[in-house]
Amino acid sequence: MTFWFTGPNTVKGQNPYFNQGTIIRQLHNPALLGMGRFDINSASRISTNIQAQWLSLERRLVTNAIEGDIIANNNTSFGINLYSTDLFSGNNNNSSYKHFSTGLSYCYSIKLKNGNLNLALNGQFSNFNFGTDNFLWEDQIDPGMTGFELPTKEPINQLTINAVHFSAGVLYHNKNLFLGGAVFNINQPNISFYNQNNQKIQSRFVVNGGMVFETKRLMIIPNVICYLQGDNFTISENINFRKGNIYYGLGLKQNTAFGQVAHSINGNFGYRKGSWFFNYSNNVNLTIRVANNPMTHELGICYLLPSSSKKQTSLYLPTE
């Protein structure tokens, strides 16, 4: 979310934010694993998502993600996810900033008297790659001379940093409500260059919850999700509707970072055909006052694999 409103120079190195939080679930709360359903049956899921921002600008941002959500038995689910980010995809003069990450998740569900409690862990490996032509390397100063003499000693090859980070999540749900939270980057890995110690990825705290209202013809799912990472705080309020195999919704987001507040609105539309689910969403930034407000386009596809190894899930989410 920091990308959207404050620009690439202030990014904290956190997972990309997806409007369609229930399509790519492991990056919002790993405790959402095992919650897929195919009508009345539990279902494993394979999901993919592409997010494109700033398409009218030379330096546009594109993020791709794919994840698998496998139900092992009544209590256990596993997940795998991969995503990549390309910041300079529209600029032919500079090397791309690229971020690739892959992770594994484990979720265990505990049956309670009035619902279920999901506990989950996630381990992630990330690779950050910067092209040296994105930096201005100044010459070094020789104290005994009056001018700039010594050439810079920084390497001329690509700058690459690897990081391993861990996350945990919890989710309580019953037939009519869900409430959960997650902590990402628990170990706060260091991604600084040249063994410096002041560039750690800060922990990211997430709280998400919602309710489910059913009528004879319509399902209504209001929900909220909050993010806190350092001095960056985002709250997203959404309301989703389902009528048969048609899904649609609206949302409002507010981001507070570095003493500034920004707002955006988003809308999404989805359709399910058999085992396939398709969804498109569009986010419009209301704060940047330019002729054409920067938009974020997002396309998600989900494939459901019906499973008989787990009892019926008691919770409906905006995407199954």
Side-chain angles (χ1 to χ4, degrees):
M1 197 67 178
T2 309
F3 257 123
W4 296 3
F5 300 124
T6 61
N9 292 327
T10 58
V11 172
K12 299 285 186 175
Q14 180 54 52
N15 293 331
Y17 178 88
F18 291 94
N19 290 331
Q20 304 162 161
T22 52
I23 288 184
I24 302 297
R25 296 178 177 177
Q26 296 177 57
L27 300 185
H28 291 263
N29 187 344
L32 288 169
L33 290 176
M35 304 295 290
R37 60 187 300 152
F38 188 104
D39 297 329
I40 63 173
N41 297 316
S42 297
S44 299
R45 305 165 70 253
I46 300 176
S47 306
T48 185
N49 201 89
I50 182 170
Q51 185 183 80
Q53 304 173 26
W54 311 326
L55 290 182
S56 61
L57 304 180
E58 185 180 19
R59 294 183 174 183
R60 63 181 183 265
L61 173 67
V62 177
T63 301
N64 297 278
I66 185 171
E67 72 172 16
D69 181 345
I70 307 301
I71 297 174
N73 53 48
N74 285 347
N75 304 102
T76 305
S77 300
F78 296 94
I80 183 172
N81 70 80
L82 301 94
Y83 68 87
S84 64
T85 299
D86 184 355
L87 178 58
F88 295 100
S89 59
N91 192 326
N92 295 324
N93 296 323
N94 288 327
S95 301
S96 295
Y97 161 78
K98 296 180 180 179
H99 173 201
F100 172 80
S101 184
T102 181
L104 297 174
S105 300
Y106 168 82
C107 181
Y108 186 82
S109 180
I110 302 173
K111 179 66 177 178
L112 303 178
K113 182 178 180 180
N114 297 315
N116 291 76
L117 182 68
N118 291 0
L119 305 173
L121 297 173
N122 171 270
Q124 203 83 17
F125 170 82
S126 294
N127 173 270
F128 304 87
N129 189 294
F130 300 83
T132 54
D133 49 6
N134 291 325
F135 298 87
L136 297 176
W137 303 113
E138 299 292 345
D139 288 337
Q140 299 179 23
I141 300 176
D142 185 346
M145 305 293 292
T146 58
F148 293 87
E149 290 235 340
L150 302 177
T152 180
K153 301 300 183 181
E154 278 76 10
I156 60 174
N157 59 340
Q158 293 284 332
L159 299 177
T160 301
I161 297 176
N162 298 321
V164 176
H165 33 134
F166 300 96
S167 310
V170 60
L171 180 77
Y172 170 80
H173 64 92
N174 58 32
K175 183 179 180 181
N176 300 113
L177 65 89
F178 58 98
L179 177 64
V183 182
F184 293 86
N185 300 319
I186 295 175
N187 58 318
Q188 299 190 31
N190 181 18
I191 60 170
S192 62
F193 296 112
Y194 311 120
N195 297 318
Q196 296 176 359
N197 297 316
N198 58 349
Q199 295 294 326
K200 294 182 178 180
I201 303 180
Q202 293 178 308
S203 296
R204 186 187 194 195
F205 302 90
V206 181
V207 175
N208 62 311
M211 302 187 69
V212 179
F213 301 95
E214 292 188 66
T215 67
K216 292 183 178 180
R217 297 185 178 181
L218 191 66
M219 183 178 295
I220 306 171
I221 310 174
N223 61 90
V224 63
I225 186 166
C226 302
Y227 301 87
L228 175 64
Q229 186 178 23
D231 55 2
N232 294 280
F233 176 73
T234 298
I235 180 169
S236 176
E237 301 165 331
N238 306 278
I239 183 166
N240 294 276
F241 303 91
R242 176 185 176 182
K243 184 176 182 180
N245 288 330
I246 298 176
Y247 302 71
Y248 53 96
L250 295 171
L252 173 66
K253 295 181 179 67
Q254 176 178 301
N255 175 259
T256 302
F258 309 104
Q260 299 181 345
V261 179
H263 297 87
S264 69
I265 57 174
N266 69 82
N268 68 84
F269 178 82
Y271 178 74
R272 191 187 124 190
K273 179 68 173 179
S275 297
W276 293 92
F277 178 83
F278 305 88
N279 189 284
Y280 169 78
S281 71
N282 188 297
N283 182 284
V284 180
N285 191 336
L286 301 178
T287 304
I288 300 178
R289 292 173 173 82
V290 294
N292 296 314
N293 284 335
M295 293 185 179
T296 300
H297 302 270
E298 195 171 310
L299 177 65
I301 302 175
C302 179
Y303 182 74
L304 304 169
L305 296 84
S307 173
S308 60
S309 61
K310 185 176 181 180
K311 296 178 182 179
Q312 175 181 343
T313 306
S314 61
L315 173 66
Y316 281 97
L317 291 169
T319 57
E320 294 185 279

